[in-house]
Amino acid sequence: MPAGGDDRFSHHFLIDDPLDLLVPLDHPLADRASVTIADTVDETWIPGRPGTVYHQLVMASCAAAGFAPRIGHFADDLNTGTALVHGGFGVCVASRMSRSQDLHPVRRIPISGDHFPSRHITVVTRTGADARETVAFTLKTLSVETERLMSRLGAELRD
């Protein structure tokens, strides 16, 4: 991805994609409507390998909440992470847009409060390209549809 200060490119913010906590169905937190990162202080974590975005998000969020996560396993593939959670090997975070729980039944819990991790989704175009009618239309459509998707996914969690 081009750096934010590179004048050759324009960054167009779409959405913040919150990360949700994945826990086994019989986990003590599974009945909660939401959790904070601090609620996971005693959990065994399954982040991505060091250097990956998910590893950085977990480490930074836990550090901001005042603790270092106890890491039991690394899983760069969300399907593997979800399978490990399903098997009771720990907890992990997943993008709200992911559907990993469809493959391995786990409980997805929104993370609330301070220090909740999220991904910032942007579209990058060449500078000036957004003045073209087709590019402007595409950016507007992406914005509307991603907002609609995030609203629907949030409603699914509340149901």
Side-chain angles (χ1 to χ4, degrees):
M1 172 178 246
D6 189 333
D7 292 339
R8 297 174 299 163
F9 301 96
S10 295
H11 293 254
H12 308 273
F13 173 78
L14 281 179
I15 55 167
D16 281 322
D17 179 22
L19 301 185
D20 298 319
L21 185 69
L22 301 184
V23 300
L25 295 174
D26 60 352
H27 191 276
L29 297 174
D31 292 333
R32 305 260 308 263
S34 69
V35 294
T36 66
I37 287 293
D39 293 332
T40 68
V41 67
D42 295 324
E43 299 299 329
T44 299
W45 277 87
I46 307 166
R49 292 202 176 278
T52 63
V53 171
Y54 281 96
H55 184 270
Q56 292 169 346
L57 285 168
V58 167
M59 299 305 287
S61 295
C62 292
F67 70 97
R70 181 177 59 239
I71 297 175
H73 303 277
F74 294 106
D76 291 336
D77 177 80
L78 192 52
N79 291 330
T80 302
T82 306
L84 287 167
V85 170
H86 174 74
F89 293 100
V91 302
C92 72
V93 292
S95 157
R96 180 137 325 146
M97 294 190 330
S98 77
R99 304 305 340 141
S100 58
Q101 76 276 7
D102 295 344
L103 295 173
H104 307 283
V106 296
R107 171 76 164 94
R108 177 183 286 267
I109 309 168
I111 301 173
S112 61
D114 295 334
H115 320 298
F116 72 91
S118 69
R119 299 184 314 158
H120 306 292
I121 308 294
T122 61
V123 175
V124 179
T125 62
R126 285 177 296 162
T127 297
D130 53 347
R132 293 177 48 203
E133 187 175 332
T134 55
V135 174
F137 174 79
T138 300
L139 290 171
K140 178 67 175 166
T141 302
L142 283 170
S143 178
V144 168
E145 292 303 319
T146 52
E147 284 294 332
R148 186 176 294 155
L149 172 65
M150 295 310 290
S151 292
R152 190 184 88 231
L153 293 175
E156 286 177 8
L157 278 175
R158 291 186 293 275
D159 292 342

